[in-house]
Amino acid sequence: MRNVPTILHLDMDAFFASVEQASKPSLRGKAVVVGGLGPRGVVATASYEARTFGVRSAMPMAQARRLAPNAAYLVPRFGLYRSVSEQVMALLRALSPLVEPLSLDEAFVDLEAGGTAWDEESARLAGVKLRADIRTGTGLTGSVGLAASKMLAKIASEQAKPDGLVLIEPGTERALLAPLPVRTLPGVGPATGDHLRRAGISTVEELAEAGEDELVRLLGKAHGHALYAMALAHDERPVVAERETKSVSVEDTYDVDIHDRLRVGLEVQRLADRCVRRLRGAGLSGRTIVLKVRRYDFSTLTRSETLRGPTDDPVVVREAATRLLESVDTTGGVRLLGVGVSGLADYTQEDLFAQAAVEAATAAPEEAAAEPVEEPSTEAERHWVAGHDVRHTEYGHGWVQGSGLGRVTVRFETPATQPGRVRTFRVDDPGLEPAEPLPLVSGELRAVPGTDDG
């Protein structure tokens, strides 16, 4: 293992909620919860103000509302989050060619590979500058961990939260790890943690004291060897710049189970079209079409079909997904649907387009006439989503605080203004239109318009 702390782990602080607070001056310093707002919705991110009430990621939204009834509850804007994430990742790539993104808000960087850092002081300066550049460019904060390995850098960034920097000095790793719970180590989930606890092992120090042979006996050869090495602060995993995308998929969870077979079919076609848009946006095609169905009793079924070659044709994907649906019994109701494409390639096979044309020509008239169908919704549901941007011809830019009973409430403010006034309109007010997100910071790269992901 290298002996200089030149592996950097960046974790943006409460990313989705922080973006919303930066975008909406009236929410700064207040409890904000981002996630699905329906009865089965879950929390995607909670601001630190909301966390003081006990709200956490992956918590059912109904529970979050009980804990923090006065928080602002918003639907995610993934297009904006991706745009801000791209800015942050660009700053990381300026530091090194070896950047390993883990999600929109988290990544590892090998500073030594970029010649950015070679010892403790240069690594610390790189981390300080990165945090300052992120704040200047996006108005957001990120926590930085610096260490000699990925495992330790991630632990350091957790200790740095929120809005801090922690560098683990060489020679202090074992002492730092010793009192931490075993769940801190990569690969120790709830089941492994419970198994170790029953064996009397709760901390990393106890893990190291148990010895390699005992851990192999408890967990198996591969897992036992790996955890023993990590307990001794050994982690040889390199920062990997490119992670191969194995599949592209989209899915929706429905607030009310869908029982109508025609509606289920239309939803599958809509999801297929969304999946193809995402596939084309990544410059990819794929051979295997996958359908995912979660039924009323929470049983989850997957069906797949492999084509003769890769495609990004929406007709081909739509028809394959529809064929897969025919083998699934949905009479009891459906609570989740998903469509994915795997076996990815960066090219398409031309004969599949001909295949799609032949199949469309020979289909039954009602099938041949089928077109991509948008999710059935009312005007209010389609446009006036809590947290999303709008523009009024008289009052300018704002965001939706809520809608219902034929009315929509809008707060008129922008990232650059003071908290704005709230006004209420009819949902069909001709002066009110959906709008694109505004840049969080003046001079920032143009924000990407919201997508249909959120």
mmCIF file of all heavy atoms in Angstrom, residues 364-391:
data_model
loop_
_atom_site.group_PDB
_atom_site.id
_atom_site.type_symbol
_atom_site.label_atom_id
_atom_site.label_comp_id
_atom_site.label_asym_id
_atom_site.label_seq_id
_atom_site.Cartn_x
_atom_site.Cartn_y
_atom_site.Cartn_z
ATOM 1 N N ALA A 364 -51.315 -6.446 -35.979
ATOM 2 C CA ALA A 364 -52.738 -6.130 -36.058
ATOM 3 C C ALA A 364 -52.890 -4.625 -36.167
ATOM 4 O O ALA A 364 -52.052 -3.870 -35.682
ATOM 5 C CB ALA A 364 -53.443 -6.649 -34.803
ATOM 6 N N PRO A 365 -53.978 -4.152 -36.806
ATOM 7 C CA PRO A 365 -54.123 -2.709 -37.036
ATOM 8 C C PRO A 365 -53.972 -1.881 -35.779
ATOM 9 O O PRO A 365 -53.289 -0.869 -35.790
ATOM 10 C CB PRO A 365 -55.541 -2.604 -37.610
ATOM 11 C CG PRO A 365 -55.772 -3.945 -38.254
ATOM 12 C CD PRO A 365 -55.052 -4.932 -37.420
ATOM 13 N N GLU A 366 -54.581 -2.308 -34.664
ATOM 14 C CA GLU A 366 -54.486 -1.494 -33.465
ATOM 15 C C GLU A 366 -53.086 -1.488 -32.894
ATOM 16 O O GLU A 366 -52.643 -0.535 -32.277
ATOM 17 C CB GLU A 366 -55.479 -1.975 -32.400
ATOM 18 C CG GLU A 366 -55.248 -3.397 -31.906
ATOM 19 C CD GLU A 366 -55.979 -4.422 -32.768
ATOM 20 O OE1 GLU A 366 -56.339 -4.095 -33.910
ATOM 21 O OE2 GLU A 366 -56.192 -5.544 -32.277
ATOM 22 N N GLU A 367 -52.318 -2.589 -33.120
ATOM 23 C CA GLU A 367 -50.942 -2.624 -32.644
ATOM 24 C C GLU A 367 -50.050 -1.766 -33.530
ATOM 25 O O GLU A 367 -49.184 -1.039 -33.062
ATOM 26 C CB GLU A 367 -50.433 -4.061 -32.622
ATOM 27 C CG GLU A 367 -51.140 -4.945 -31.620
ATOM 28 C CD GLU A 367 -50.700 -6.385 -31.745
ATOM 29 O OE1 GLU A 367 -50.231 -6.783 -32.808
ATOM 30 O OE2 GLU A 367 -50.856 -7.120 -30.748
ATOM 31 N N ALA A 368 -50.273 -1.856 -34.838
ATOM 32 C CA ALA A 368 -49.430 -1.097 -35.756
ATOM 33 C C ALA A 368 -49.605 0.396 -35.564
ATOM 34 O O ALA A 368 -48.700 1.180 -35.811
ATOM 35 C CB ALA A 368 -49.776 -1.471 -37.200
ATOM 36 N N ALA A 369 -50.778 0.791 -35.099
ATOM 37 C CA ALA A 369 -51.036 2.223 -34.928
ATOM 38 C C ALA A 369 -50.549 2.756 -33.602
ATOM 39 O O ALA A 369 -50.615 3.944 -33.347
ATOM 40 C CB ALA A 369 -52.537 2.490 -35.053
ATOM 41 N N ALA A 370 -50.071 1.844 -32.743
ATOM 42 C CA ALA A 370 -49.667 2.278 -31.407
ATOM 43 C C ALA A 370 -48.510 3.258 -31.497
ATOM 44 O O ALA A 370 -47.563 3.063 -32.238
ATOM 45 C CB ALA A 370 -49.261 1.073 -30.566
ATOM 46 N N GLU A 371 -48.596 4.327 -30.732
ATOM 47 C CA GLU A 371 -47.557 5.343 -30.667
ATOM 48 C C GLU A 371 -47.105 5.476 -29.220
ATOM 49 O O GLU A 371 -47.801 5.044 -28.303
ATOM 50 C CB GLU A 371 -48.096 6.687 -31.163
ATOM 51 C CG GLU A 371 -48.420 6.703 -32.646
ATOM 52 C CD GLU A 371 -47.182 6.549 -33.513
ATOM 53 O OE1 GLU A 371 -46.097 6.968 -33.058
ATOM 54 O OE2 GLU A 371 -47.299 6.004 -34.616
ATOM 55 N N PRO A 372 -45.921 6.074 -28.983
ATOM 56 C CA PRO A 372 -45.511 6.303 -27.601
ATOM 57 C C PRO A 372 -46.590 7.057 -26.845
ATOM 58 O O PRO A 372 -47.118 8.058 -27.336
ATOM 59 C CB PRO A 372 -44.238 7.154 -27.741
ATOM 60 C CG PRO A 372 -43.739 6.835 -29.118
ATOM 61 C CD PRO A 372 -44.961 6.568 -29.956
ATOM 62 N N VAL A 373 -46.932 6.567 -25.682
ATOM 63 C CA VAL A 373 -48.023 7.150 -24.912
ATOM 64 C C VAL A 373 -47.465 7.770 -23.649
ATOM 65 O O VAL A 373 -46.722 7.138 -22.903
ATOM 66 C CB VAL A 373 -49.072 6.078 -24.552
ATOM 67 C CG1 VAL A 373 -50.184 6.690 -23.725
ATOM 68 C CG2 VAL A 373 -49.638 5.469 -25.828
ATOM 69 N N GLU A 374 -47.791 9.031 -23.406
ATOM 70 C CA GLU A 374 -47.387 9.691 -22.170
ATOM 71 C C GLU A 374 -48.223 9.170 -21.019
ATOM 72 O O GLU A 374 -49.353 8.711 -21.199
ATOM 73 C CB GLU A 374 -47.577 11.203 -22.292
ATOM 74 C CG GLU A 374 -46.639 11.848 -23.285
ATOM 75 C CD GLU A 374 -45.192 11.674 -22.908
ATOM 76 O OE1 GLU A 374 -44.871 11.754 -21.705
ATOM 77 O OE2 GLU A 374 -44.372 11.439 -23.804
ATOM 78 N N GLU A 375 -47.680 9.219 -19.838
ATOM 79 C CA GLU A 375 -48.406 8.752 -18.667
ATOM 80 C C GLU A 375 -49.687 9.561 -18.489
ATOM 81 O O GLU A 375 -49.666 10.791 -18.485
ATOM 82 C CB GLU A 375 -47.545 8.913 -17.420
ATOM 83 C CG GLU A 375 -48.232 8.433 -16.163
ATOM 84 C CD GLU A 375 -47.325 8.566 -14.963
ATOM 85 O OE1 GLU A 375 -46.218 9.068 -15.124
ATOM 86 O OE2 GLU A 375 -47.738 8.162 -13.866
ATOM 87 N N PRO A 376 -50.828 8.862 -18.391
ATOM 88 C CA PRO A 376 -52.076 9.585 -18.188
ATOM 89 C C PRO A 376 -51.987 10.441 -16.930
ATOM 90 O O PRO A 376 -51.560 9.978 -15.881
ATOM 91 C CB PRO A 376 -53.112 8.463 -18.022
ATOM 92 C CG PRO A 376 -52.485 7.276 -18.657
ATOM 93 C CD PRO A 376 -51.022 7.418 -18.445
ATOM 94 N N SER A 377 -52.381 11.678 -17.065
ATOM 95 C CA SER A 377 -52.317 12.563 -15.916
ATOM 96 C C SER A 377 -53.193 13.769 -16.184
ATOM 97 O O SER A 377 -53.533 14.084 -17.321
ATOM 98 C CB SER A 377 -50.888 13.029 -15.637
ATOM 99 O OG SER A 377 -50.396 13.754 -16.718
ATOM 100 N N THR A 378 -53.530 14.466 -15.121
ATOM 101 C CA THR A 378 -54.280 15.705 -15.286
ATOM 102 C C THR A 378 -53.294 16.814 -15.586
ATOM 103 O O THR A 378 -52.089 16.670 -15.445
ATOM 104 C CB THR A 378 -55.034 16.044 -13.994
ATOM 105 O OG1 THR A 378 -54.062 16.337 -12.984
ATOM 106 C CG2 THR A 378 -55.915 14.891 -13.540
ATOM 107 N N GLU A 379 -53.825 17.960 -15.989
ATOM 108 C CA GLU A 379 -52.969 19.106 -16.281
ATOM 109 C C GLU A 379 -52.146 19.483 -15.067
ATOM 110 O O GLU A 379 -50.968 19.772 -15.154
ATOM 111 C CB GLU A 379 -53.837 20.290 -16.712
ATOM 112 C CG GLU A 379 -53.074 21.421 -17.360
ATOM 113 C CD GLU A 379 -52.671 21.086 -18.775
ATOM 114 O OE1 GLU A 379 -53.117 20.062 -19.296
ATOM 115 O OE2 GLU A 379 -51.881 21.857 -19.349
ATOM 116 N N ALA A 380 -52.762 19.421 -13.873
ATOM 117 C CA ALA A 380 -52.045 19.810 -12.655
ATOM 118 C C ALA A 380 -50.932 18.844 -12.361
ATOM 119 O O ALA A 380 -49.837 19.219 -11.989
ATOM 120 C CB ALA A 380 -53.025 19.870 -11.477
ATOM 121 N N GLU A 381 -51.185 17.540 -12.531
ATOM 122 C CA GLU A 381 -50.169 16.553 -12.231
ATOM 123 C C GLU A 381 -48.999 16.655 -13.193
ATOM 124 O O GLU A 381 -47.856 16.459 -12.832
ATOM 125 C CB GLU A 381 -50.781 15.149 -12.284
ATOM 126 C CG GLU A 381 -51.753 14.858 -11.171
ATOM 127 C CD GLU A 381 -52.503 13.567 -11.396
ATOM 128 O OE1 GLU A 381 -52.636 13.132 -12.548
ATOM 129 O OE2 GLU A 381 -52.964 12.986 -10.400
ATOM 130 N N ARG A 382 -49.289 16.971 -14.455
ATOM 131 C CA ARG A 382 -48.225 16.973 -15.441
ATOM 132 C C ARG A 382 -47.316 18.187 -15.285
ATOM 133 O O ARG A 382 -46.116 18.094 -15.498
ATOM 134 C CB ARG A 382 -48.831 16.958 -16.847
ATOM 135 C CG ARG A 382 -47.773 16.817 -17.941
ATOM 136 C CD ARG A 382 -48.373 16.498 -19.294
ATOM 137 N NE ARG A 382 -49.189 17.593 -19.811
ATOM 138 C CZ ARG A 382 -50.516 17.544 -19.932
ATOM 139 N NH1 ARG A 382 -51.183 16.471 -19.558
ATOM 140 N NH2 ARG A 382 -51.196 18.580 -20.412
ATOM 141 N N HIS A 383 -47.879 19.329 -14.925
ATOM 142 C CA HIS A 383 -47.090 20.556 -14.918
ATOM 143 C C HIS A 383 -46.724 21.056 -13.520
ATOM 144 O O HIS A 383 -45.644 21.576 -13.330
ATOM 145 C CB HIS A 383 -47.850 21.657 -15.645
ATOM 146 C CG HIS A 383 -47.950 21.463 -17.118
ATOM 147 N ND1 HIS A 383 -46.842 21.371 -17.926
ATOM 148 C CD2 HIS A 383 -49.025 21.322 -17.936
ATOM 149 C CE1 HIS A 383 -47.223 21.200 -19.185
ATOM 150 N NE2 HIS A 383 -48.543 21.167 -19.218
ATOM 151 N N TRP A 384 -47.614 20.925 -12.581
ATOM 152 C CA TRP A 384 -47.392 21.620 -11.320
ATOM 153 C C TRP A 384 -46.897 20.658 -10.246
ATOM 154 O O TRP A 384 -47.589 20.318 -9.322
ATOM 155 C CB TRP A 384 -48.665 22.348 -10.888
ATOM 156 C CG TRP A 384 -49.351 23.072 -12.021
ATOM 157 C CD1 TRP A 384 -50.667 23.041 -12.325
ATOM 158 C CD2 TRP A 384 -48.750 23.940 -12.985
ATOM 159 N NE1 TRP A 384 -50.926 23.829 -13.420
ATOM 160 C CE2 TRP A 384 -49.764 24.393 -13.850
ATOM 161 C CE3 TRP A 384 -47.440 24.372 -13.215
ATOM 162 C CZ2 TRP A 384 -49.533 25.247 -14.910
ATOM 163 C CZ3 TRP A 384 -47.205 25.229 -14.283
ATOM 164 C CH2 TRP A 384 -48.229 25.668 -15.103
ATOM 165 N N VAL A 385 -45.672 20.210 -10.426
ATOM 166 C CA VAL A 385 -45.043 19.264 -9.512
ATOM 167 C C VAL A 385 -44.310 20.026 -8.420
ATOM 168 O O VAL A 385 -43.562 20.977 -8.704
ATOM 169 C CB VAL A 385 -44.059 18.352 -10.270
ATOM 170 C CG1 VAL A 385 -43.397 17.362 -9.322
ATOM 171 C CG2 VAL A 385 -44.792 17.604 -11.386
ATOM 172 N N ALA A 386 -44.508 19.619 -7.170
ATOM 173 C CA ALA A 386 -43.908 20.337 -6.036
ATOM 174 C C ALA A 386 -42.399 20.458 -6.197
ATOM 175 O O ALA A 386 -41.698 19.463 -6.354
ATOM 176 C CB ALA A 386 -44.249 19.626 -4.734
ATOM 177 N N GLY A 387 -41.905 21.687 -6.159
ATOM 178 C CA GLY A 387 -40.475 21.938 -6.255
ATOM 179 C C GLY A 387 -39.995 22.285 -7.646
ATOM 180 O O GLY A 387 -38.875 22.768 -7.804
ATOM 181 N N HIS A 388 -40.804 22.014 -8.674
ATOM 182 C CA HIS A 388 -40.353 22.260 -10.037
ATOM 183 C C HIS A 388 -40.547 23.722 -10.453
ATOM 184 O O HIS A 388 -41.369 24.439 -9.888
ATOM 185 C CB HIS A 388 -41.082 21.317 -10.994
ATOM 186 C CG HIS A 388 -40.533 19.924 -10.961
ATOM 187 N ND1 HIS A 388 -40.521 19.095 -12.052
ATOM 188 C CD2 HIS A 388 -39.962 19.199 -9.959
ATOM 189 C CE1 HIS A 388 -39.975 17.936 -11.729
ATOM 190 N NE2 HIS A 388 -39.633 17.977 -10.465
ATOM 191 N N ASP A 389 -39.787 24.126 -11.472
ATOM 192 C CA ASP A 389 -39.730 25.530 -11.884
ATOM 193 C C ASP A 389 -40.898 25.920 -12.779
ATOM 194 O O ASP A 389 -41.340 25.124 -13.620
ATOM 195 C CB ASP A 389 -38.420 25.792 -12.633
ATOM 196 C CG ASP A 389 -37.217 25.609 -11.743
ATOM 197 O OD1 ASP A 389 -36.821 24.450 -11.502
ATOM 198 O OD2 ASP A 389 -36.671 26.622 -11.289
ATOM 199 N N VAL A 390 -41.343 27.153 -12.622
ATOM 200 C CA VAL A 390 -42.382 27.728 -13.481
ATOM 201 C C VAL A 390 -42.027 29.176 -13.783
ATOM 202 O O VAL A 390 -41.155 29.770 -13.148
ATOM 203 C CB VAL A 390 -43.780 27.663 -12.816
ATOM 204 C CG1 VAL A 390 -44.246 26.229 -12.642
ATOM 205 C CG2 VAL A 390 -43.771 28.400 -11.473
ATOM 206 N N ARG A 391 -42.723 29.735 -14.761
ATOM 207 C CA ARG A 391 -42.553 31.155 -15.074
ATOM 208 C C ARG A 391 -43.937 31.743 -15.340
ATOM 209 O O ARG A 391 -44.752 31.140 -16.034
ATOM 210 C CB ARG A 391 -41.660 31.351 -16.290
ATOM 211 C CG ARG A 391 -41.485 32.824 -16.685
ATOM 212 C CD ARG A 391 -40.430 32.987 -17.759
ATOM 213 N NE ARG A 391 -39.115 32.665 -17.247
ATOM 214 C CZ ARG A 391 -38.361 33.487 -16.527
ATOM 215 N NH1 ARG A 391 -38.803 34.705 -16.227
ATOM 216 N NH2 ARG A 391 -37.176 33.118 -16.111
#
